[in-house]
Amino acid sequence: MTGADYFVPFRTKLRAMRSEPFGADPAGARMQRILSSPNFADGVFQNTLGARTRPSGSTLEFAKIYFQKEQRLRRAPAGTVPVHATTLADLAAPPATGLRLTWMGHSSVLAEIDGRRVLFDPVWGERCSPFPFAGPKRLHPVPVPLATLGSVDVVVISHDHYDHLDLPTIRALAGTDTVFAVPLGVGAHLERWGVAPDRLRELDWNETAKVNGISLTATPARHFCGRGLRNNQHTLWASWAVSGPEHRIYHSGDTGYFPGFRDIGAEHGPFDATMIQIGAYSEYWPDIHMTPAEGMRAHLDLQGGRPHGVMMPIHWGTFNLAPHAWAEPAEWTKDAAEEAEQPAAFPRPGEPFEPAGTLPVETWWRAVSAPMAAPQWRTATPDAVPGGAPVARRDLDVAGER
């Protein structure tokens, strides 16, 4: 150790020792952009509507619910998730309507839009964690190997949490010619992992990048960021509005419900399809993830307040991240869509579909779901249903409804 080394700040030394999965902190010109952002105040990025980013309520009560054996069993499929078997063959021909979506699981979606390919939040790793031996593990395999997926024009990242920004996946994509569209600050992680700076389009909210005739706009979301124990809010989170010459789509990333969806829809919609986060919600963190009912409300806001386009639920089924039953987000979304008379798509992982064509609507999850207790959305009251009587709370045996 030299004398000069002695005077290097301790925090800088710790940062240098930090392992690669944690990424890198913004610095230099990137940090200057962050400090100049209208969305950065008091040393952190801010939500447009206040949000509690740490779990509320009793930690002990949450731990009892989360780690109880019976509850853990409810949060995983009771059988093998039916991954679509012919994804690559189905993708070989271009979409007849010019727009095709393929849900790869969780929030990962391949969107083929007006002759271009956009890959949202690609996570091909086995765990969403900085450690290969711990953290939430996949509940189903990826539908296709990343190396066989073919060329991608743009990779879009919503924020830097591990279930949306995956080191092994980014490393693999860094060796291709793809462009990366990311929220402000996230580029620091990607550069550390081998992505060349000239392939980054790093955007603040309401900024737009154009890639091969496709416009990608980082739009607000209600969430938070960080990959370490100290989430210092120096990387932004975003939803994304993407438009081509003929079609418009929207990816919510992770977000709580907020009135800004109406503004996004007015500015960039209406959308042919939306990909909306409806899983990993909890009463312990109500501000940063949406329930299926809130997700449907967000979709309608984005469409000007009326049913339009197709809503596809994302952020469910692949990782166990919340106390709710594994199949509950799909069941609840299905109910919410029917009530709103809004077309919704429920593809198996890897199942391509065209929003203007025949939608996948089979309730495939029921065949592999354990029985689950019917939650609040299944319970009516006289106030909720005019002239009606209370509906008794019951167990919803989705496995028995095959």
Side-chain angles (χ1 to χ4, degrees):
M1 181 176 181
T2 67
D5 289 335
Y6 181 81
F7 292 103
V8 174
F10 183 62
R11 183 177 296 175
T12 302
K13 294 178 184 178
L14 286 178
R15 190 177 296 128
M17 294 168 56
R18 189 167 62 179
S19 63
E20 276 198 301
F22 288 99
D25 290 333
R30 178 175 282 115
M31 194 63 198
Q32 289 304 311
R33 278 193 67 198
I34 291 170
L35 293 173
S36 301
S37 169
N39 304 301
F40 192 85
D42 300 325
V44 295
F45 277 113
Q46 304 281 346
N47 283 294
T48 58
L49 178 66
R52 292 164 290 175
T53 60
R54 295 185 181 276
S56 60
S58 166
T59 303
L60 180 60
E61 185 65 28
F62 175 75
K64 285 181 181 178
I65 294 172
Y66 196 80
F67 292 107
Q68 184 184 41
K69 181 178 180 181
E70 181 181 340
Q71 298 298 322
R72 290 202 312 270
L73 292 175
R74 291 175 60 248
R75 298 198 304 272
T80 301
V81 175
V83 174
H84 189 66
T86 59
T87 306
L88 290 177
D90 296 341
L91 294 176
T97 62
L99 177 63
R100 181 166 60 199
L101 302 179
T102 306
W103 180 52
M104 298 295 179
H106 201 57
S107 295
S108 302
V109 181
L110 174 67
E112 297 166 278
I113 175 171
D114 298 338
R116 305 303 179 192
R117 304 178 102 211
V118 181
L119 186 58
F120 292 95
D121 283 356
V123 174
W124 259 250
E126 280 301 306
R127 293 184 186 272
C128 50
S129 166
F131 309 110
F133 54 85
K137 192 175 182 180
R138 280 189 169 276
L139 300 175
H140 65 79
V142 291
V144 296
L146 189 62
T148 65
L149 190 60
S151 63
V152 173
D153 293 276
V154 191
V155 171
V156 175
I157 303 297
S158 65
H159 63 299
D160 67 1
H161 287 160
Y162 290 94
D163 56 324
H164 297 259
L165 181 61
D166 177 54
L167 168 59
T169 306
I170 298 301
R171 273 245 184 90
L173 290 166
T176 69
D177 295 329
T178 189
V179 170
F180 292 81
V182 302
L184 186 54
V186 174
H189 301 312
L190 273 61
E191 282 190 38
R192 184 179 185 191
W193 298 339
V195 177
D198 62 359
R199 288 166 53 200
L200 290 172
R201 307 293 183 268
E202 199 164 349
L203 307 181
D204 203 346
W205 285 343
N206 302 313
E207 291 182 343
T208 299
K210 292 192 175 183
V211 180
N212 293 346
I214 300 294
S215 294
L216 306 106
T217 302
T219 47
R222 190 185 184 204
H223 200 55
F224 68 112
C225 67
R227 294 178 72 84
L229 294 177
R230 292 179 66 252
N231 291 338
N232 54 16
Q233 303 290 78
H234 287 172
T235 56
L236 189 59
W237 50 97
S239 57
W240 289 86
V242 177
S243 62
E246 303 293 335
H247 294 91
R248 299 180 182 188
I249 57 177
Y250 173 85
H251 188 285
S252 72
D254 275 4
T255 181
Y257 179 81
F258 72 119
F261 292 117
R262 292 193 289 270
D263 298 327
I264 295 170
E267 179 71 19
H268 303 284
F271 299 97
D272 299 283
T274 67
M275 297 154 272
I276 303 290
Q277 172 263 308
I278 52 83
Y281 48 84
S282 172
E283 62 186 8
Y284 292 96
W285 48 83
D287 298 339
I288 55 173
H289 282 169
M290 292 189 291
T291 66
E294 290 171 325
M296 183 56 61
R297 182 180 174 191
H299 169 89
L300 295 173
D301 285 354
L302 290 161
Q303 306 290 36
R306 62 185 178 85
H308 181 79
V310 173
M311 184 268 211
M312 181 173 73
I314 59 172
H315 203 264
W316 78 282
T318 304
F319 297 108
N320 182 345
L321 301 174
H324 61 65
W326 174 75
E328 183 179 291
E331 284 291 332
W332 191 351
T333 302
K334 181 176 179 293
D335 281 1
E338 290 173 355
E339 183 176 353
E341 298 183 344
Q342 167 60 52
F346 298 92
R348 294 169 174 80
E351 182 178 4
F353 73 96
E354 300 189 30
T358 302
L359 301 181
V361 295
E362 183 184 347
T363 54
W364 54 267
W365 56 87
R366 292 180 179 176
V368 292
S369 173
M372 62 181 183
Q376 188 62 41
W377 100 87
R378 292 275 185 177
T379 305
T381 66
D383 293 334
V385 181
V391 177
R393 193 175 181 87
R394 63 181 178 86
D395 279 350
L396 176 68
D397 186 358
V398 296
E401 295 180 8
R402 302 173 189 178

